[in-house]
PDB file of all heavy atoms in Angstrom:
ATOM      1  N   ASP A  10     -40.266 112.152 105.816  1.00  0.00           N
ATOM      2  CA  ASP A  10     -39.914 112.234 107.233  1.00  0.00           C
ATOM      3  C   ASP A  10     -40.919 111.504 108.130  1.00  0.00           C
ATOM      4  O   ASP A  10     -40.579 111.118 109.240  1.00  0.00           O
ATOM      5  CB  ASP A  10     -39.806 113.693 107.686  1.00  0.00           C
ATOM      6  CG  ASP A  10     -38.740 114.449 106.922  1.00  0.00           C
ATOM      7  OD1 ASP A  10     -37.800 113.806 106.423  1.00  0.00           O
ATOM      8  OD2 ASP A  10     -38.852 115.684 106.814  1.00  0.00           O
ATOM      9  N   ARG A  11     -42.154 111.389 107.658  1.00  0.00           N
ATOM     10  CA  ARG A  11     -43.248 110.756 108.413  1.00  0.00           C
ATOM     11  C   ARG A  11     -43.393 111.391 109.795  1.00  0.00           C
ATOM     12  O   ARG A  11     -43.447 110.719 110.812  1.00  0.00           O
ATOM     13  CB  ARG A  11     -43.041 109.244 108.498  1.00  0.00           C
ATOM     14  CG  ARG A  11     -43.022 108.612 107.118  1.00  0.00           C
ATOM     15  CD  ARG A  11     -42.687 107.151 107.135  1.00  0.00           C
ATOM     16  NE  ARG A  11     -42.494 106.686 105.757  1.00  0.00           N
ATOM     17  CZ  ARG A  11     -41.872 105.594 105.433  1.00  0.00           C
ATOM     18  NH1 ARG A  11     -41.398 104.805 106.364  1.00  0.00           N
ATOM     19  NH2 ARG A  11     -41.739 105.254 104.180  1.00  0.00           N
ATOM     20  N   ASP A  12     -43.471 112.693 109.779  1.00  0.00           N
ATOM     21  CA  ASP A  12     -43.524 113.497 110.998  1.00  0.00           C
ATOM     22  C   ASP A  12     -44.888 114.186 111.087  1.00  0.00           C
ATOM     23  O   ASP A  12     -45.145 115.170 110.388  1.00  0.00           O
ATOM     24  CB  ASP A  12     -42.391 114.530 110.974  1.00  0.00           C
ATOM     25  CG  ASP A  12     -42.313 115.381 112.220  1.00  0.00           C
ATOM     26  OD1 ASP A  12     -43.260 115.386 113.027  1.00  0.00           O
ATOM     27  OD2 ASP A  12     -41.289 116.073 112.380  1.00  0.00           O
ATOM     28  N   GLU A  13     -45.752 113.663 111.939  1.00  0.00           N
ATOM     29  CA  GLU A  13     -47.114 114.186 112.059  1.00  0.00           C
ATOM     30  C   GLU A  13     -47.154 115.636 112.541  1.00  0.00           C
ATOM     31  O   GLU A  13     -48.054 116.389 112.176  1.00  0.00           O
ATOM     32  CB  GLU A  13     -47.950 113.302 112.986  1.00  0.00           C
ATOM     33  CG  GLU A  13     -48.213 111.906 112.438  1.00  0.00           C
ATOM     34  CD  GLU A  13     -48.926 111.903 111.083  1.00  0.00           C
ATOM     35  OE1 GLU A  13     -49.825 112.742 110.863  1.00  0.00           O
ATOM     36  OE2 GLU A  13     -48.571 111.062 110.244  1.00  0.00           O
ATOM     37  N   ASN A  14     -46.185 116.038 113.353  1.00  0.00           N
ATOM     38  CA  ASN A  14     -46.145 117.436 113.807  1.00  0.00           C
ATOM     39  C   ASN A  14     -45.890 118.373 112.636  1.00  0.00           C
ATOM     40  O   ASN A  14     -46.493 119.442 112.547  1.00  0.00           O
ATOM     41  CB  ASN A  14     -45.078 117.631 114.884  1.00  0.00           C
ATOM     42  CG  ASN A  14     -45.427 116.915 116.168  1.00  0.00           C
ATOM     43  OD1 ASN A  14     -46.596 116.801 116.526  1.00  0.00           O
ATOM     44  ND2 ASN A  14     -44.420 116.406 116.853  1.00  0.00           N
ATOM     45  N   GLN A  15     -45.001 117.977 111.741  1.00  0.00           N
ATOM     46  CA  GLN A  15     -44.733 118.783 110.546  1.00  0.00           C
ATOM     47  C   GLN A  15     -45.929 118.750 109.590  1.00  0.00           C
ATOM     48  O   GLN A  15     -46.262 119.759 108.989  1.00  0.00           O
ATOM     49  CB  GLN A  15     -43.479 118.282 109.829  1.00  0.00           C
ATOM     50  CG  GLN A  15     -42.198 118.621 110.523  1.00  0.00           C
ATOM     51  CD  GLN A  15     -41.904 120.104 110.492  1.00  0.00           C
ATOM     52  OE1 GLN A  15     -42.011 120.758 109.463  1.00  0.00           O
ATOM     53  NE2 GLN A  15     -41.543 120.649 111.633  1.00  0.00           N
ATOM     54  N   VAL A  16     -46.562 117.595 109.458  1.00  0.00           N
ATOM     55  CA  VAL A  16     -47.736 117.473 108.583  1.00  0.00           C
ATOM     56  C   VAL A  16     -48.813 118.460 109.020  1.00  0.00           C
ATOM     57  O   VAL A  16     -49.435 119.127 108.190  1.00  0.00           O
ATOM     58  CB  VAL A  16     -48.286 116.022 108.593  1.00  0.00           C
ATOM     59  CG1 VAL A  16     -49.639 115.944 107.913  1.00  0.00           C
ATOM     60  CG2 VAL A  16     -47.298 115.080 107.931  1.00  0.00           C
ATOM     61  N   ALA A  17     -49.009 118.581 110.318  1.00  0.00           N
ATOM     62  CA  ALA A  17     -50.048 119.479 110.842  1.00  0.00           C
ATOM     63  C   ALA A  17     -49.817 120.931 110.444  1.00  0.00           C
ATOM     64  O   ALA A  17     -50.768 121.705 110.330  1.00  0.00           O
ATOM     65  CB  ALA A  17     -50.126 119.353 112.359  1.00  0.00           C
ATOM     66  N   LEU A  18     -48.574 121.310 110.201  1.00  0.00           N
ATOM     67  CA  LEU A  18     -48.277 122.682 109.801  1.00  0.00           C
ATOM     68  C   LEU A  18     -48.769 123.000 108.397  1.00  0.00           C
ATOM     69  O   LEU A  18     -49.004 124.158 108.067  1.00  0.00           O
ATOM     70  CB  LEU A  18     -46.762 122.935 109.864  1.00  0.00           C
ATOM     71  CG  LEU A  18     -46.108 122.817 111.230  1.00  0.00           C
ATOM     72  CD1 LEU A  18     -44.599 122.937 111.094  1.00  0.00           C
ATOM     73  CD2 LEU A  18     -46.650 123.869 112.179  1.00  0.00           C
ATOM     74  N   TYR A  19     -48.930 121.974 107.567  1.00  0.00           N
ATOM     75  CA  TYR A  19     -49.296 122.172 106.170  1.00  0.00           C
ATOM     76  C   TYR A  19     -50.686 121.636 105.828  1.00  0.00           C
ATOM     77  O   TYR A  19     -51.151 121.819 104.714  1.00  0.00           O
ATOM     78  CB  TYR A  19     -48.251 121.525 105.257  1.00  0.00           C
ATOM     79  CG  TYR A  19     -46.870 122.047 105.527  1.00  0.00           C
ATOM     80  CD1 TYR A  19     -45.934 121.286 106.212  1.00  0.00           C
ATOM     81  CD2 TYR A  19     -46.509 123.328 105.148  1.00  0.00           C
ATOM     82  CE1 TYR A  19     -44.672 121.781 106.483  1.00  0.00           C
ATOM     83  CE2 TYR A  19     -45.243 123.830 105.421  1.00  0.00           C
ATOM     84  CZ  TYR A  19     -44.341 123.050 106.087  1.00  0.00           C
ATOM     85  OH  TYR A  19     -43.092 123.541 106.367  1.00  0.00           O
ATOM     86  N   ALA A  20     -51.348 120.977 106.760  1.00  0.00           N
ATOM     87  CA  ALA A  20     -52.664 120.386 106.509  1.00  0.00           C
ATOM     88  C   ALA A  20     -53.772 121.372 106.839  1.00  0.00           C
ATOM     89  O   ALA A  20     -53.587 122.290 107.639  1.00  0.00           O
ATOM     90  CB  ALA A  20     -52.834 119.117 107.338  1.00  0.00           C
ATOM     91  N   CYS A  21     -54.939 121.153 106.235  1.00  0.00           N
ATOM     92  CA  CYS A  21     -56.117 121.974 106.520  1.00  0.00           C
ATOM     93  C   CYS A  21     -56.430 121.947 108.004  1.00  0.00           C
ATOM     94  O   CYS A  21     -56.184 120.947 108.677  1.00  0.00           O
ATOM     95  CB  CYS A  21     -57.334 121.423 105.781  1.00  0.00           C
ATOM     96  SG  CYS A  21     -57.414 121.942 104.079  1.00  0.00           S
ATOM     97  N   LYS A  22     -57.008 123.046 108.470  1.00  0.00           N
ATOM     98  CA  LYS A  22     -57.373 123.123 109.879  1.00  0.00           C
ATOM     99  C   LYS A  22     -58.535 122.178 110.187  1.00  0.00           C
ATOM    100  O   LYS A  22     -58.628 121.644 111.269  1.00  0.00           O
ATOM    101  CB  LYS A  22     -57.739 124.559 110.240  1.00  0.00           C
ATOM    102  CG  LYS A  22     -56.556 125.507 110.148  1.00  0.00           C
ATOM    103  CD  LYS A  22     -56.969 126.929 110.434  1.00  0.00           C
ATOM    104  CE  LYS A  22     -55.786 127.877 110.287  1.00  0.00           C
ATOM    105  NZ  LYS A  22     -56.157 129.270 110.478  1.00  0.00           N
ATOM    106  N   SER A  23     -59.429 121.990 109.215  1.00  0.00           N
ATOM    107  CA  SER A  23     -60.542 121.047 109.397  1.00  0.00           C
ATOM    108  C   SER A  23     -60.995 120.544 108.031  1.00  0.00           C
ATOM    109  O   SER A  23     -60.787 121.191 107.013  1.00  0.00           O
ATOM    110  CB  SER A  23     -61.714 121.722 110.121  1.00  0.00           C
ATOM    111  OG  SER A  23     -62.221 122.778 109.334  1.00  0.00           O
ATOM    112  N   GLY A  24     -61.610 119.375 108.026  1.00  0.00           N
ATOM    113  CA  GLY A  24     -62.159 118.807 106.797  1.00  0.00           C
ATOM    114  C   GLY A  24     -61.143 118.179 105.869  1.00  0.00           C
ATOM    115  O   GLY A  24     -61.412 118.012 104.688  1.00  0.00           O
ATOM    116  N   ALA A  25     -59.993 117.817 106.365  1.00  0.00           N
ATOM    117  CA  ALA A  25     -58.973 117.195 105.520  1.00  0.00           C
ATOM    118  C   ALA A  25     -59.322 115.738 105.243  1.00  0.00           C
ATOM    119  O   ALA A  25     -59.863 115.046 106.095  1.00  0.00           O
ATOM    120  CB  ALA A  25     -57.615 117.285 106.197  1.00  0.00           C
ATOM    121  N   ASP A  26     -59.019 115.274 104.020  1.00  0.00           N
ATOM    122  CA  ASP A  26     -59.265 113.887 103.631  1.00  0.00           C
ATOM    123  C   ASP A  26     -57.952 113.309 103.084  1.00  0.00           C
ATOM    124  O   ASP A  26     -57.595 113.551 101.939  1.00  0.00           O
ATOM    125  CB  ASP A  26     -60.364 113.813 102.577  1.00  0.00           C
ATOM    126  CG  ASP A  26     -60.626 112.390 102.118  1.00  0.00           C
ATOM    127  OD1 ASP A  26     -60.170 111.437 102.782  1.00  0.00           O
ATOM    128  OD2 ASP A  26     -61.278 112.226 101.062  1.00  0.00           O
ATOM    129  N   PHE A  27     -57.268 112.566 103.931  1.00  0.00           N
ATOM    130  CA  PHE A  27     -55.995 111.980 103.537  1.00  0.00           C
ATOM    131  C   PHE A  27     -56.063 110.450 103.485  1.00  0.00           C
ATOM    132  O   PHE A  27     -55.051 109.776 103.651  1.00  0.00           O
ATOM    133  CB  PHE A  27     -54.887 112.421 104.504  1.00  0.00           C
ATOM    134  CG  PHE A  27     -54.661 113.908 104.508  1.00  0.00           C
ATOM    135  CD1 PHE A  27     -54.674 114.620 105.689  1.00  0.00           C
ATOM    136  CD2 PHE A  27     -54.448 114.598 103.333  1.00  0.00           C
ATOM    137  CE1 PHE A  27     -54.465 115.987 105.701  1.00  0.00           C
ATOM    138  CE2 PHE A  27     -54.242 115.966 103.325  1.00  0.00           C
ATOM    139  CZ  PHE A  27     -54.249 116.666 104.510  1.00  0.00           C
ATOM    140  N   ALA A  28     -57.245 109.901 103.231  1.00  0.00           N
ATOM    141  CA  ALA A  28     -57.422 108.444 103.237  1.00  0.00           C
ATOM    142  C   ALA A  28     -56.541 107.764 102.191  1.00  0.00           C
ATOM    143  O   ALA A  28     -55.871 106.766 102.489  1.00  0.00           O
ATOM    144  CB  ALA A  28     -58.883 108.085 103.015  1.00  0.00           C
ATOM    145  N   GLU A  29     -56.515 108.296 100.959  1.00  0.00           N
ATOM    146  CA  GLU A  29     -55.734 107.646  99.900  1.00  0.00           C
ATOM    147  C   GLU A  29     -54.233 107.720 100.150  1.00  0.00           C
ATOM    148  O   GLU A  29     -53.515 106.743  99.975  1.00  0.00           O
ATOM    149  CB  GLU A  29     -56.065 108.261  98.532  1.00  0.00           C
ATOM    150  CG  GLU A  29     -57.384 107.773  97.963  1.00  0.00           C
ATOM    151  CD  GLU A  29     -57.586 108.244  96.528  1.00  0.00           C
ATOM    152  OE1 GLU A  29     -56.712 107.956  95.670  1.00  0.00           O
ATOM    153  OE2 GLU A  29     -58.615 108.890  96.275  1.00  0.00           O
ATOM    154  N   ILE A  30     -53.760 108.878 100.558  1.00  0.00           N
ATOM    155  CA  ILE A  30     -52.318 109.007 100.788  1.00  0.00           C
ATOM    156  C   ILE A  30     -51.908 108.270 102.069  1.00  0.00           C
ATOM    157  O   ILE A  30     -50.793 107.781 102.175  1.00  0.00           O
ATOM    158  CB  ILE A  30     -51.858 110.480 100.772  1.00  0.00           C
ATOM    159  CG1 ILE A  30     -50.349 110.513 100.514  1.00  0.00           C
ATOM    160  CG2 ILE A  30     -52.246 111.215 102.032  1.00  0.00           C
ATOM    161  CD1 ILE A  30     -49.844 111.797  99.929  1.00  0.00           C
ATOM    162  N   ALA A  31     -52.844 108.142 103.013  1.00  0.00           N
ATOM    163  CA  ALA A  31     -52.561 107.350 104.222  1.00  0.00           C
ATOM    164  C   ALA A  31     -52.410 105.879 103.853  1.00  0.00           C
ATOM    165  O   ALA A  31     -51.518 105.190 104.370  1.00  0.00           O
ATOM    166  CB  ALA A  31     -53.670 107.535 105.246  1.00  0.00           C
ATOM    167  N   ALA A  32     -53.247 105.392 102.945  1.00  0.00           N
ATOM    168  CA  ALA A  32     -53.132 104.006 102.478  1.00  0.00           C
ATOM    169  C   ALA A  32     -51.819 103.813 101.714  1.00  0.00           C
ATOM    170  O   ALA A  32     -51.150 102.782 101.859  1.00  0.00           O
ATOM    171  CB  ALA A  32     -54.323 103.649 101.600  1.00  0.00           C
ATOM    172  N   PHE A  33     -51.450 104.810 100.927  1.00  0.00           N
ATOM    173  CA  PHE A  33     -50.189 104.774 100.178  1.00  0.00           C
ATOM    174  C   PHE A  33     -49.000 104.681 101.139  1.00  0.00           C
ATOM    175  O   PHE A  33     -48.105 103.865 100.956  1.00  0.00           O
ATOM    176  CB  PHE A  33     -50.099 106.034  99.309  1.00  0.00           C
ATOM    177  CG  PHE A  33     -48.867 106.137  98.457  1.00  0.00           C
ATOM    178  CD1 PHE A  33     -48.705 105.358  97.331  1.00  0.00           C
ATOM    179  CD2 PHE A  33     -47.874 107.053  98.770  1.00  0.00           C
ATOM    180  CE1 PHE A  33     -47.572 105.470  96.528  1.00  0.00           C
ATOM    181  CE2 PHE A  33     -46.734 107.175  97.990  1.00  0.00           C
ATOM    182  CZ  PHE A  33     -46.592 106.380  96.862  1.00  0.00           C
ATOM    183  N   ARG A  34     -49.011 105.519 102.177  1.00  0.00           N
ATOM    184  CA  ARG A  34     -47.920 105.506 103.158  1.00  0.00           C
ATOM    185  C   ARG A  34     -47.907 104.194 103.942  1.00  0.00           C
ATOM    186  O   ARG A  34     -46.840 103.629 104.196  1.00  0.00           O
ATOM    187  CB  ARG A  34     -48.033 106.693 104.111  1.00  0.00           C
ATOM    188  CG  ARG A  34     -46.886 106.729 105.103  1.00  0.00           C
ATOM    189  CD  ARG A  34     -46.836 108.000 105.892  1.00  0.00           C
ATOM    190  NE  ARG A  34     -47.834 107.994 106.945  1.00  0.00           N
ATOM    191  CZ  ARG A  34     -47.912 108.923 107.891  1.00  0.00           C
ATOM    192  NH1 ARG A  34     -47.075 109.943 107.889  1.00  0.00           N
ATOM    193  NH2 ARG A  34     -48.826 108.856 108.816  1.00  0.00           N
ATOM    194  N   ALA A  35     -49.073 103.684 104.316  1.00  0.00           N
ATOM    195  CA  ALA A  35     -49.142 102.404 105.040  1.00  0.00           C
ATOM    196  C   ALA A  35     -48.568 101.282 104.187  1.00  0.00           C
ATOM    197  O   ALA A  35     -47.856 100.401 104.700  1.00  0.00           O
ATOM    198  CB  ALA A  35     -50.579 102.107 105.440  1.00  0.00           C
ATOM    199  N   ASP A  36     -48.840 101.312 102.882  1.00  0.00           N
ATOM    200  CA  ASP A  36     -48.295 100.307 101.971  1.00  0.00           C
ATOM    201  C   ASP A  36     -46.764 100.419 101.906  1.00  0.00           C
ATOM    202  O   ASP A  36     -46.063  99.401 101.914  1.00  0.00           O
ATOM    203  CB  ASP A  36     -48.904 100.478 100.574  1.00  0.00           C
ATOM    204  CG  ASP A  36     -48.394  99.434  99.596  1.00  0.00           C
ATOM    205  OD1 ASP A  36     -48.537  98.228  99.875  1.00  0.00           O
ATOM    206  OD2 ASP A  36     -47.825  99.840  98.548  1.00  0.00           O
ATOM    207  N   LEU A  37     -46.255 101.660 101.851  1.00  0.00           N
ATOM    208  CA  LEU A  37     -44.796 101.855 101.848  1.00  0.00           C
ATOM    209  C   LEU A  37     -44.154 101.265 103.103  1.00  0.00           C
ATOM    210  O   LEU A  37     -43.155 100.535 103.019  1.00  0.00           O
ATOM    211  CB  LEU A  37     -44.453 103.348 101.787  1.00  0.00           C
ATOM    212  CG  LEU A  37     -44.702 104.112 100.505  1.00  0.00           C
ATOM    213  CD1 LEU A  37     -44.394 105.588 100.705  1.00  0.00           C
ATOM    214  CD2 LEU A  37     -43.875 103.554  99.366  1.00  0.00           C
ATOM    215  N   ILE A  38     -44.740 101.571 104.236  1.00  0.00           N
ATOM    216  CA  ILE A  38     -44.201 101.100 105.516  1.00  0.00           C
ATOM    217  C   ILE A  38     -44.255  99.581 105.595  1.00  0.00           C
ATOM    218  O   ILE A  38     -43.300  98.935 106.040  1.00  0.00           O
ATOM    219  CB  ILE A  38     -44.962 101.759 106.689  1.00  0.00           C
ATOM    220  CG1 ILE A  38     -44.659 103.262 106.717  1.00  0.00           C
ATOM    221  CG2 ILE A  38     -44.600 101.118 108.017  1.00  0.00           C
ATOM    222  CD1 ILE A  38     -45.556 104.064 107.634  1.00  0.00           C
ATOM    223  N   ALA A  39     -45.359  98.992 105.136  1.00  0.00           N
ATOM    224  CA  ALA A  39     -45.499  97.535 105.164  1.00  0.00           C
ATOM    225  C   ALA A  39     -44.462  96.864 104.262  1.00  0.00           C
ATOM    226  O   ALA A  39     -43.845  95.860 104.646  1.00  0.00           O
ATOM    227  CB  ALA A  39     -46.903  97.133 104.744  1.00  0.00           C
ATOM    228  N   ARG A  40     -44.261  97.416 103.071  1.00  0.00           N
ATOM    229  CA  ARG A  40     -43.271  96.843 102.150  1.00  0.00           C
ATOM    230  C   ARG A  40     -41.848  96.980 102.698  1.00  0.00           C
ATOM    231  O   ARG A  40     -41.024  96.076 102.535  1.00  0.00           O
ATOM    232  CB  ARG A  40     -43.379  97.491 100.767  1.00  0.00           C
ATOM    233  CG  ARG A  40     -44.629  97.079 100.025  1.00  0.00           C
ATOM    234  CD  ARG A  40     -44.755  97.855  98.721  1.00  0.00           C
ATOM    235  NE  ARG A  40     -46.045  97.636  98.114  1.00  0.00           N
ATOM    236  CZ  ARG A  40     -46.275  96.738  97.159  1.00  0.00           C
ATOM    237  NH1 ARG A  40     -45.299  95.978  96.726  1.00  0.00           N
ATOM    238  NH2 ARG A  40     -47.481  96.598  96.660  1.00  0.00           N
ATOM    239  N   GLU A  41     -41.564  98.118 103.316  1.00  0.00           N
ATOM    240  CA  GLU A  41     -40.241  98.300 103.914  1.00  0.00           C
ATOM    241  C   GLU A  41     -39.991  97.258 105.001  1.00  0.00           C
ATOM    242  O   GLU A  41     -38.904  96.678 105.075  1.00  0.00           O
ATOM    243  CB  GLU A  41     -40.108  99.709 104.502  1.00  0.00           C
ATOM    244  CG  GLU A  41     -39.938 100.793 103.467  1.00  0.00           C
ATOM    245  CD  GLU A  41     -39.859 102.189 104.067  1.00  0.00           C
ATOM    246  OE1 GLU A  41     -40.387 102.406 105.183  1.00  0.00           O
ATOM    247  OE2 GLU A  41     -39.273 103.069 103.413  1.00  0.00           O
TER     248      GLU A  41
END
């Protein structure tokens, strides 16, 4: 869905590290 509001419901309140999955999603978007 790529919905940041929904992501916030399931992500850590602090100290989250989503660098790798963010790169993965950016690659998906670029290829699309």
Side-chain angles (χ1 to χ4, degrees):
D10 299 335
R11 299 174 188 161
D12 183 347
E13 293 302 321
N14 292 327
Q15 286 291 314
V16 169
L18 297 174
Y19 304 105
C21 278
K22 294 177 182 177
S23 63
D26 179 14
F27 298 127
E29 283 188 56
I30 200 156
F33 181 74
R34 182 170 78 172
D36 181 56
L37 289 176
I38 293 168
R40 289 174 189 264
E41 286 178 335

